Amino acid sequence: MTTLSAQISEKGAVMPKMKSKSGAAKRFKVRGSGSIKRGQAFKRHILTKKTTKSKRHLRGSAEVHESNVKSVRAMLPYA
């Protein structure tokens, strides 16, 4: 009858694992260089009023801005 907080190993008590925010895990990926990539916004709906050029520039992925990297990393502790 062991619980997570009361598990005992040979080294002592074991802390439970930290969890990633599942929503963030689906939206962000960490590249090999350490930068974080994200999908482009504004490409899901209401596309008829957007020009072909603007929709073309929304293709692909982008890098998370440096002002937001700290908060994204906090949501992905093992990434």
Side-chain angles (χ1 to χ4, degrees):
M1 207 166 91
T2 61
T3 61
L4 273 178
S5 60
Q7 281 183 346
I8 305 296
S9 69
E10 293 149 16
K11 297 177 186 172
V14 177
M15 291 297 292
K17 291 182 181 179
M18 293 169 65
K19 287 190 173 183
S20 296
K21 295 282 186 184
S22 61
K26 295 170 191 174
R27 287 170 171 81
F28 304 107
K29 295 284 181 261
V30 179
R31 294 174 171 149
S33 64
S35 64
I36 303 170
K37 76 174 183 177
R38 62 170 176 84
Q40 285 278 13
F42 307 109
K43 191 66 168 62
R44 294 290 178 187
H45 61 104
I46 317 175
L47 297 172
T48 52
K49 63 176 75 170
K50 295 177 183 136
T51 64
T52 307
K53 182 178 179 179
S54 69
K55 288 185 278 193
R56 186 169 60 247
H57 285 298
L58 291 173
R59 277 189 207 143
S61 58
E63 190 171 338
V64 172
H65 194 266
E66 60 187 28
S67 62
N68 297 319
V69 168
K70 187 177 177 183
S71 61
V72 173
R73 287 201 186 280
M75 292 187 275
L76 303 170
Y78 296 109

